[in-house]
Amino acid sequence: MGKENSIFSAFNACGLETTGGLCYGVHKAYAVCISQNQGYYYLDVAARTKAKNKELKATLKSAVRESGLQMSFYANQGSHLRFMLRFNRKSPYEEQAHAYLDGVVSILRSVGIAPADTCAVCGGGSPDSLCCVSSYQPVHSACMKRMHEDTKDSVERNLQNGSYLTGFFGALLGTVAGLLPSIFTALSMDTIYALLFALVPMAAMWGYKKLNGKSNKGAIVIVVILSLLSVFALQFMILGSAVMDEYGLSYGEAILAVFEIFFNIEGLVMIASESLTEFLFMLVGLLLSWQYIGRTGSSEIKSSEAVLSTLRPNPNYANQYGSESEESVSSEEVQV
């Protein structure tokens, strides 16, 4: 965390600002955004390119190598280009941050990639603002405000018209669908995978929302309970298969035999005690999927508000009606 703060502070000294886990701003007419993930730092530059342009990818990689900077071209997302940065302790972070910003801009200019000049939301021209939408992007302020209002309206309609009942049935169907891969691996490969357990709560929440379940904390409770109960369903299928193989029973006879075990207190306690690994895997699955299943209507509004808080005037748009900045790139520059 200390290194992250120091590096973000270095970019702040270059004229960028920080909100949450993002550092963003405009450098020489290009909208840029710095993010950090698992110790790696990424510099995104807003530009309009073809995402699958292999020639551009090769050109940028070559240009980065020739620049001598300790970074690499990472990805072309179409709406922005991403570079991976490597910081060292041999020179001040501020010096490195400035070198990266200047170096990337120089590279983009050398290959004819101009700053993005269309709205990241609607695709229209003359974007009057900038906002953190996936990366720091030119947008119309009206588009962002409309998106925020649409989010609030959608959440309000859901809270008024959503149903726990239909949501529950959707979550139940989703739980069954999400459990199928684990049932398959358990019966055919005699093994279970913790990652597959994450599919259960994700599919349950997807089904809950699909059938218009009320999106609040109650939804999370329903999904968590069904996910934990699915462990018993998994054990039911495993035990049923084992009974069929060991005693040569038919499918129906095996089901009846397993039912007797599950609807007996002693049997149920035994099943629960022998399912500790599966319950642990399900808890891991819930943690892995929490970013998705933990999103309620109120959290969606807060997320939308956080995005809207990064809305800033677009200096490139202002320059179209005033004096041109010495660092502005001509709008006639070739888009790749």
Side-chain angles (χ1 to χ4, degrees):
M1 183 62 70
K3 182 180 179 181
E4 178 183 336
N5 289 337
S6 297
I7 290 177
F8 277 14
S9 295
F11 281 108
N12 294 155
C14 297
L16 309 188
E17 62 178 299
T18 299
T19 299
L22 297 176
C23 188
Y24 54 91
V26 177
H27 187 76
K28 297 185 176 181
Y30 288 84
V32 299
C33 179
I34 293 86
S35 59
Q36 186 266 355
N37 184 27
Q38 297 182 345
Y40 295 97
Y41 291 85
Y42 301 95
L43 169 60
D44 296 338
V45 184
R48 303 294 180 253
T49 59
K50 294 179 180 179
K52 297 183 179 180
N53 190 330
K54 295 183 179 179
E55 183 179 348
L56 173 61
K57 180 180 180 180
T59 299
L60 287 173
K61 284 189 172 183
S62 176
V64 168
R65 284 194 299 270
E66 292 174 2
S67 71
L69 294 171
Q70 294 300 308
M71 67 176 184
S72 58
F73 175 68
Y74 187 78
N76 178 4
Q77 300 293 341
S79 63
H80 63 274
L81 301 166
R82 170 164 285 193
F83 299 83
M84 180 185 288
L85 312 180
R86 299 179 182 85
F87 287 88
N88 59 66
R89 299 182 183 277
K90 297 180 181 179
S91 56
Y93 287 146
E94 184 177 336
E95 181 180 312
Q96 295 178 66
H98 232 311
Y100 282 134
L101 291 172
D102 287 344
V104 167
V105 167
S106 178
I107 288 171
L108 296 184
R109 285 178 171 176
S110 70
V111 298
I113 298 178
D117 60 357
T118 57
C119 176
V121 178
C122 72
S126 300
D128 61 337
S129 302
L130 295 163
C131 193
C132 288
V133 186
S134 71
S135 66
Y136 200 48
Q137 290 283 339
V139 294
H140 295 126
S141 61
C143 288
M144 296 307 303
K145 292 173 182 176
R146 183 173 62 251
M147 284 179 60
H148 179 60
E149 290 302 319
D150 288 346
T151 298
K152 290 199 300 182
D153 290 344
S154 176
V155 170
E156 185 176 345
R157 286 196 301 271
N158 173 266
L159 293 178
Q160 290 178 349
N161 304 319
S163 167
Y164 286 123
L165 182 60
T166 59
F168 173 80
F169 282 113
L172 185 60
L173 293 173
T175 299
V176 173
L179 190 61
L180 290 178
S182 292
I183 292 175
F184 175 78
T185 58
L187 297 182
S188 63
M189 302 168 62
D190 195 28
T191 187
I192 55 176
Y193 297 96
L195 287 177
L196 289 180
F197 277 60
L199 294 176
V200 177
M202 291 182 69
M205 183 57 80
W206 183 85
Y208 183 91
K209 292 180 178 180
K210 201 67 176 177
L211 291 192
N212 197 35
K214 197 180 292 289
S215 184
N216 54 22
K217 292 181 179 179
I220 300 175
V221 172
I222 290 173
V223 167
V224 169
I225 290 175
L226 286 176
S227 297
L228 293 175
L229 289 177
S230 71
V231 172
F232 288 104
L234 175 62
Q235 290 293 63
F236 185 92
M237 298 299 297
I238 294 174
L239 187 57
S241 176
V243 168
M244 287 177 63
D245 293 340
E246 186 170 349
Y247 297 102
L249 301 179
S250 66
Y251 179 78
E253 291 172 332
I255 292 295
L256 289 175
V258 173
F259 261 120
E260 290 183 8
I261 297 174
F262 267 78
F263 285 91
N264 178 291
I265 296 298
E266 293 182 358
L268 195 59
V269 171
M270 179 192 69
I271 294 296
S273 63
E274 293 181 355
S275 304
L276 296 180
T277 299
E278 287 79 1
F279 278 114
L280 178 60
F281 281 6
M282 184 55 71
L283 290 176
V284 172
L286 287 166
L287 290 174
L288 291 174
S289 61
W290 190 258
Q291 188 173 2
Y292 176 69
I293 69 173
R295 289 184 64 85
T296 62
S298 60
S299 65
E300 287 183 9
I301 292 177
K302 288 180 181 178
S303 178
S304 178
E305 289 173 344
V307 169
L308 199 62
S309 71
T310 65
L311 193 67
R312 302 288 184 271
N314 186 349
N316 295 346
Y317 177 83
N319 286 336
Q320 294 177 16
Y321 300 93
S323 59
E324 288 288 329
S325 166
E326 293 181 358
E327 295 179 331
S328 294
V329 177
S330 170
S331 61
E332 296 178 359
E333 197 165 1
V334 179
Q335 292 279 356
V336 180

